[in-house]
Amino acid sequence: MVSPAPERRILFRLGQLVATPNSLANVDRSDVERALARHARGDWGDVGTEDRAANDAAVRNGERLLSSYRSSSGVKFWIITEADRSATTVLLPEDY
C-alpha cells in the first residue's frame, strides 16, 4: 500500500487578500482558492526554473513572491504576495 504524500505546510502568511476586478470577472472563485492554498505552500504553479528558485529564496529572505496558474477554463492568472506579507493580490497578467 502506498501512503499519500504528506501535505506541505504553509510557508508564509498571505496578509490581506485582494483581487483585481478583471480577475474576479474571469477566474472562478474555487480556482482562486485552490491556487492560494498552493501558493502559500510553495507550489508556484507555471513558473520557470529561475522564478521557482527566486520564490524559494524569497520565502527565506522576505521578498516578494509571484506564482502563475491557469483556471479550469484556461485563464492565466497570477498571485503576488508583497515582501512584507501585508497583502496578496490575485490578478491577470494584463492587470499588472
Side-chain angles (χ1 to χ4, degrees):
M1 180 189 316
V2 176
S3 299
E7 189 167 326
R8 294 178 73 177
R9 64 182 175 84
I10 294 174
L11 300 178
F12 54 91
R13 61 186 180 84
L14 298 174
Q16 181 181 3
L17 297 176
V18 295
T20 64
N22 197 23
S23 70
L24 291 171
N26 290 286
V27 180
D28 188 77
R29 181 181 178 134
S30 63
D31 290 327
V32 170
E33 290 172 353
R34 279 190 295 277
L36 284 167
R38 290 174 61 189
H39 178 76
R41 288 178 172 80
D43 174 351
W44 313 120
D46 301 325
V47 298
T49 304
E50 284 185 24
D51 289 331
R52 190 172 307 283
N55 276 345
D56 290 341
V59 169
R60 295 187 300 275
N61 301 327
E63 297 168 357
R64 189 182 80 145
L65 300 157
L66 169 71
S67 295
S68 179
Y69 306 98
R70 288 217 180 258
S71 71
S72 55
S73 63
V75 175
K76 181 177 184 175
F77 65 101
W78 291 347
I79 297 178
I80 298 175
T81 298
E82 299 303 325
D84 64 2
R85 308 302 186 249
S86 63
T88 294
T89 304
V90 178
L91 67 158
L92 301 189
E94 59 265 26
D95 298 335
Y96 190 70

